[in-house]
Amino acid sequence: MTLNLPTVLTLLRIVVIPVLVLFFYLPQGWSNEVVVGLFIAAGITDWADGWIARRYRLTSPFGAFLDPVADKLLVAVALVLIVQRHPETLLALGAAIILGREITISALREWMAEIGQRAKVKVSGVGKSKTIFQMVAIGFLLYGEPLLGLPVMDIGRVLLVIAAVLTIWSMVIYLRSAWPAITSERP
């Protein structure tokens, strides 16, 4: 395992998770800004590590494994924090849909790779759109306070619902692509 810049950026996303949790529960008026700043920085490193890895040919099997793990850990922890602070049916349902899809698609991708058909479940445009809505929604919901007269929580709720719908849509796309492999009988 070689530690290159993209892998270090990915590892930093994992390391920032307990720091994000600490600031989330810190009883300071400015802690929301720090939490959202950490979340945005993590999102930027997610984009940057992929770009750097492709641009400078620094891809590695370890990096390819670790990158989605870091993303899913960050999103899962953020959603749990949001639902814990705002125990609302809509937020809990959106979080459950997103987390359930992530588990399902991760398992599907692993299984499809095992049978040599990983390419059938590669990232789709709908999946990328889902990620954008999801990350923006989480940022708004982590902040949770009105900002410049904007109803941040309401905007976050709407964006999370859109992300949840896109989540289901992208899961259907992946499952339809994999369905022939899922339903075929193998010796």
Side-chain angles (χ1 to χ4, degrees):
M1 177 183 79
T2 306
L3 283 183
N4 56 29
L5 181 58
T7 304
V8 169
L9 289 173
T10 301
L11 287 168
L12 283 173
R13 277 203 316 281
I14 295 171
V15 169
V16 82
I17 293 170
V19 177
L20 186 140
V21 172
L22 175 70
F23 278 98
F24 185 84
Y25 288 108
L26 198 63
Q28 299 295 323
W30 45 264
S31 65
N32 282 357
E33 287 87 354
V34 173
V35 169
V36 173
L38 289 170
F39 189 77
I40 289 169
I44 291 169
T45 64
D46 182 26
W47 170 83
D49 68 30
W51 183 83
I52 292 167
R54 287 185 299 276
R55 173 81 167 90
Y56 296 102
R57 299 173 198 243
L58 296 172
T59 58
S60 69
F62 181 64
F65 156 75
L66 194 62
D67 183 67
V69 170
D71 298 343
K72 287 166 185 34
L73 286 172
L74 182 65
V75 166
V77 168
L79 287 171
V80 167
L81 293 173
I82 290 163
V83 172
Q84 186 273 324
R85 181 168 285 168
H86 305 282
E88 305 168 15
T89 303
L90 185 69
L91 296 179
L93 186 59
I97 288 169
I98 290 167
L99 295 174
R101 180 262 190 204
E102 294 303 330
I103 293 166
T104 302
I105 298 307
S106 292
L108 178 66
R109 284 187 175 133
E110 181 180 337
W111 182 71
M112 292 295 283
E114 189 174 306
I115 64 170
Q117 296 191 34
R118 168 99 167 132
K120 288 190 177 184
V121 287
K122 64 182 180 178
V123 176
S124 71
V126 175
K128 289 179 182 180
S129 297
K130 179 265 316 176
T131 300
I132 292 167
F133 277 97
Q134 172 182 286
M135 299 306 269
V136 175
I138 290 171
F140 274 86
L141 294 168
L142 284 172
Y143 189 76
E145 303 292 329
L147 180 66
L148 304 173
L150 293 174
V152 169
M153 281 300 295
D154 292 336
I155 294 168
R157 283 183 192 98
V158 168
L159 294 173
L160 191 70
V161 167
I162 293 169
V165 169
L166 291 172
T167 293
I168 293 168
W169 184 8
S170 69
M171 184 171 70
V172 168
I173 289 170
Y174 294 133
L175 289 171
R176 286 184 71 196
S177 295
W179 194 251
I182 292 170
T183 58
S184 71
E185 292 188 26
R186 298 192 183 279

